[in-house]
Amino acid sequence: MSSTELPSVPASNVLPKVAPVRVAEGERLRSVGLPGITLTVRSRPPAREGLPPALYVHGLGGSSQNWSALMQELDGVVDSEAVDLPGFGDSPPPDDGDYSVTGHARAVIRYLDAAGRGPVHLLGNSLGGAVSTRVAALRPDLVRTLTLVSPALPEIRVQRSAVPTALLALPGVTALFTRFSRDWTAEQRVRGVMALCYGDPGRVTPEGFRNAVEEMERRLQLTYFWDAMTRSARGLVNAYTLGGQHSLWRQAERVLAPTLLVYGGRDQLVAFRMARRAARSFRDSRLLTLPDAGHVAMMEYPDTVARAFVQLLTEAGESPARVGEAAVDGAGG
């Protein structure tokens, strides 16, 4: 079944009114209109002029909020912006309904071209890691360095715990799941997501949990929420099946930018064993392994990921303004 056979989504000018997206202290949100898409961009005003630009790309079901902790850690190092991919966070669906990896990559490229901020330090998690890999391969002029946290690159043997997410790509599964889970509370849904994505859900603060529940309640009011999830999951599965020059692994080999790879030992969605293959595939790579981290290491261990990122910049010949305590002493695995 093609994505066009899914129910249509409402036009952006008739989207339902829901509660506003949370904006953390020191952050700003703005809406950027581009051909065929409207993107919400989360940013932190740079600590000083002249900091190199960075762009963060979230994973399936996530949003720019997933990067707030790391963005704060990197104050004074980079000029941070995080994008809500089309249909996620506060960004409305794309006009053409294209949620493929290529479609999301095109959205990122359109934004970077329009913003004129490139080349940027590009950071991606999960689906955002696959999208960022494609961007770096297709448009090396836009990418200064590449940081991938548990990137969703093709696996032959998918972990059993990742199967339910992959099943969203199958026709009819989303409808069955929504009927099955219709009585679940937002709190129950958030606990399930955290159990899947965190190595240790106990690291989430009470405030962090409340914020996640509030965001879940907001998302469930969006008529296109499950449509965006389903189509993006299908787009990711389709990307796993592509061969030749369109293969994500082949594109990883084409990436010229210095690359930091971050993998969690307790990741239930991207197998930890893929870390070594990724390190071999990206030509200029360094690997940070976090045995206790899950799928979102930048949320669980933002300080450690920040130190590794600063080390990447140093090795790439950059001169971060605040290396001091952010410098890494042999981080990696």
Side-chain angles (χ1 to χ4, degrees):
M1 177 184 284
S2 70
S3 61
T4 57
E5 294 176 66
L6 290 167
S8 60
V9 297
S12 58
N13 62 344
V14 293
L15 292 177
K17 293 186 180 300
V18 298
V21 170
R22 179 178 176 273
V23 183
E25 184 178 354
E27 293 183 345
R28 297 174 181 172
L29 283 186
R30 73 179 191 280
S31 182
V32 179
L34 299 167
I37 53 173
T38 299
L39 300 178
T40 296
V41 178
R42 182 180 303 267
S43 63
R44 293 186 68 88
R48 63 175 181 80
E49 294 294 324
L51 290 177
L55 185 70
Y56 308 76
V57 187
H58 63 81
L60 180 67
S63 75
S64 58
Q65 293 185 63
N66 293 19
W67 296 101
S68 289
L70 184 61
M71 290 168 66
Q72 186 172 4
E73 289 285 339
L74 293 175
D75 271 351
V77 176
V78 290
D79 181 354
S80 291
E81 290 188 346
V83 64
D84 284 333
L85 291 173
F88 293 93
D90 206 33
S91 293
D95 289 353
D96 61 3
D98 185 357
Y99 288 98
S100 66
V101 171
T102 296
H104 285 313
R106 187 181 300 117
V108 172
I109 290 171
R110 283 178 182 170
Y111 173 68
L112 288 174
D113 278 338
R117 298 178 77 235
V120 299
H121 298 292
L122 185 61
L123 300 89
N125 168 237
S126 191
L127 167 65
V131 170
S132 297
T133 296
R134 185 150 289 175
V135 171
L138 298 177
R139 290 292 303 275
D141 59 305
L142 294 178
V143 182
R144 206 162 178 162
T145 66
L146 181 64
T147 296
L148 304 176
V149 181
S150 296
L153 299 175
E155 301 180 37
I156 296 177
R157 292 183 293 114
V158 177
Q159 294 185 102
R160 183 177 300 176
S161 52
V163 170
T165 302
L167 287 177
L168 285 176
L170 297 179
V173 170
T174 298
L176 288 173
F177 179 75
T178 53
R179 285 200 296 270
F180 173 76
S181 63
R182 62 188 173 188
D183 295 327
W184 292 5
T185 65
E187 289 86 350
Q188 289 174 314
R189 294 174 189 273
V190 168
R191 291 191 191 282
V193 170
M194 289 182 173
L196 182 64
C197 292
Y198 280 75
D200 177 11
R203 293 182 65 87
V204 180
T205 65
E207 180 184 10
F209 181 78
R210 289 194 300 271
N211 292 337
V213 170
E214 179 182 292
E215 174 62 12
M216 179 63 72
E217 291 172 339
R218 189 192 70 83
R219 292 183 186 186
L220 291 172
Q221 296 179 57
L222 298 172
T223 56
Y224 57 83
F225 171 71
W226 285 112
D227 185 72
M229 286 285 291
T230 301
R231 293 182 191 239
S232 291
R234 183 170 299 168
L236 189 56
V237 170
N238 288 343
Y240 275 31
T241 66
L242 293 177
Q245 64 179 348
H246 300 295
S247 161
L248 282 168
W249 284 116
R250 182 71 62 83
Q251 292 187 328
E253 294 171 355
R254 291 168 51 190
V255 171
L256 301 176
T259 301
L260 169 64
L261 302 164
V262 183
Y263 281 81
R266 296 183 179 178
D267 194 331
Q268 299 180 64
L269 294 170
V270 170
F272 186 64
R273 65 175 182 273
M274 302 306 294
R276 296 298 176 184
R277 178 174 181 180
R280 292 192 302 267
S281 298
F282 290 89
R283 65 179 72 187
D284 184 8
S285 70
R286 59 279 295 148
L287 175 63
L288 171 65
T289 57
L290 299 173
D292 295 326
H295 191 60
V296 287
M298 75 286 187
M299 299 175 73
E300 285 191 272
Y301 299 95
D303 54 340
T304 305
V305 175
R307 290 195 297 270
F309 176 77
V310 170
Q311 183 67 25
L312 170 69
L313 267 59
T314 301
E315 293 176 0
E318 301 280 348
S319 299
R322 192 194 70 193
V323 175
E325 60 188 32
V328 170
D329 293 321

